Amino acid sequence: MGLDADHRRAVRRVLLVALAVNLLLSLVKLGVGLLSGSLAVLADGMHSATDGLSSLMGLFTNQLSDPNPDRDHPYGHHKYEPLGALAIAAFILMAAWEILQAAGQRIISGLGPLDLGMPELVLLLVALLANVVLARYERRQGRRLGSALLQADAMHTSSDVWTSLVVLIGLSGAVAFGLNWLDVVLAIPLCLLLLRVCWQVLRSNLPQLVDQIAIAPEAIHEVAMAVPGVLNCHDIASRGVLGQQVFIELHMVVDATDLTTAHRITEEVEEALEVGFGPVRCTIHLEPRAYARAAITFRGTHG
């Protein structure tokens, strides 16, 4: 599978767009925060900066996540991408901590007046709309390209949308009604939203890193047993990401008395699994009939 087939170039282009937008938004928010003295806007600017860092991390891991095997990585480089997604989850946690710190500083500082006006609020609104467009773009491209990295980065960008929205509401209330405590009150539920996004990223990427089952062994068994010449199929295991790359191992008993026939049957099983489940790499261990077993997969401490 070449570079064009695995979409790495397309993913890299999306990440470059995200990096440029996030850097620009970060500079705008940090500028408004420094000029107005608003800790909430500064925290939002730092959050946008973590978006830029996550895009940089995405570019780095995307460059490394070549699916083609080599001498040092005979199973390919697929796990670099979920590792990058976990780094993005760490950035989200950092953003939540920054917001909590900003809220505490506002309380300690006595919630003094802010030097904010309509031009600053308009800038923040434009930044919010830019975040919405970027998040939708990354999510759509991530689904189209089947990239866990882009979808994780889209989640992070979406969390920035919520951050910017809360800050904009709080500061609008502060400017219009003198309610400077609004951004502090809204900071806590915002942090909970960020933690939820972090959990979603972890839940979608940890299974690949810990080699959790990719395809139900019963489904693999059904496909294999439907191939003429297969008498028994057991000790089935799978790992990877369905639709991207799955590694399947199984033991099989076939109705053959010579190696050529047995090999033909195993190739037909591999083709059937490829048709049924997408890109797969199969390791089939042929056994004599006396080794046939009823149990099709493993059982142990966890199941």
Side-chain angles (χ1 to χ4, degrees):
M1 189 183 302
L3 292 176
D4 290 334
D6 65 33
H7 303 298
R8 289 198 303 131
R9 289 178 179 173
V11 171
R12 191 155 54 246
R13 285 195 296 270
V14 175
L15 289 172
L16 284 171
V17 171
L19 175 61
V21 173
N22 283 322
L23 287 178
L24 178 60
L25 293 179
S26 178
L27 289 174
V28 169
K29 293 176 183 178
L30 289 174
V32 172
L34 289 172
L35 291 174
S36 66
S38 170
L39 292 175
V41 177
L42 285 174
D44 192 22
M46 290 300 297
H47 187 206
S48 294
T50 65
D51 283 334
L53 288 174
S54 72
S55 297
L56 277 175
M57 179 64 71
L59 286 168
F60 176 71
T61 56
N62 175 256
Q63 185 67 26
L64 292 175
S65 61
D66 187 348
N68 298 310
D70 57 30
R71 181 183 180 279
D72 296 324
H73 304 87
Y75 293 98
H77 307 74
H78 299 85
K79 291 188 179 181
Y80 280 114
E81 188 161 321
L83 279 174
L86 292 186
I88 291 174
F91 290 142
I92 296 175
L93 283 176
M94 288 172 54
W97 175 245
E98 288 162 3
I99 294 170
L100 284 175
Q101 282 186 315
Q105 289 171 358
R106 289 292 301 275
I107 294 174
I108 293 173
S109 65
L111 301 177
L114 299 174
D115 186 16
L116 275 173
M118 186 58 64
E120 290 80 10
L121 293 178
V122 170
L123 276 176
L124 293 177
L125 178 60
V126 171
L128 171 63
L129 295 176
N131 268 326
V132 172
V133 173
L134 179 60
R136 288 174 61 88
Y137 170 69
E138 283 194 286
R139 187 179 298 109
R140 184 171 61 252
Q141 295 299 316
R143 289 172 180 169
R144 182 178 69 85
L145 299 170
S147 172
L149 186 61
L150 279 182
Q151 295 188 49
D153 203 42
M155 288 183 182
H156 193 196
T157 304
S158 296
S159 72
D160 199 28
V161 170
W162 289 106
T163 307
S164 300
L165 179 61
V166 169
V167 170
L168 184 60
I169 292 174
L171 293 182
S172 296
V175 171
F177 307 107
L179 304 176
N180 293 346
W181 48 267
L182 274 178
D183 55 346
V184 177
V185 170
L186 294 173
I188 295 177
L190 174 60
C191 289
L192 294 177
L193 287 172
L194 291 175
L195 292 176
R196 178 175 177 270
V197 171
C198 181
W199 168 244
Q200 289 175 336
V201 173
L202 290 173
R203 186 177 59 182
S204 61
N205 288 279
L206 276 178
Q208 183 179 359
L209 291 174
V210 299
D211 289 337
Q212 184 173 315
I213 181 176
I215 304 172
E218 294 81 7
I220 296 174
H221 182 268
E222 181 179 356
V223 171
M225 292 300 296
V227 175
V230 177
L231 301 178
N232 181 261
C233 185
H234 57 274
D235 287 355
I236 299 173
S238 67
R239 61 184 176 88
V241 179
L242 187 63
Q244 296 184 26
Q245 180 70 70
V246 175
F247 299 90
I248 299 175
E249 300 176 10
L250 54 90
H251 291 215
M252 201 163 64
V253 178
V254 299
D255 185 14
T257 57
D258 60 277
L259 182 59
T260 300
T261 303
H263 182 259
R264 176 182 55 78
I265 295 173
T266 61
E267 285 193 328
E268 291 177 358
V269 170
E270 291 177 6
E271 291 173 1
L273 291 172
E274 184 100 19
V275 170
F277 304 113
V280 298
R281 281 178 59 183
C282 298
T283 300
I284 300 176
H285 180 66
L286 290 175
E287 295 181 334
R289 297 194 183 197
Y291 282 65
R293 294 172 51 186
I296 64 175
T297 190
F298 304 96
R299 290 192 178 276
T301 304
H302 301 290

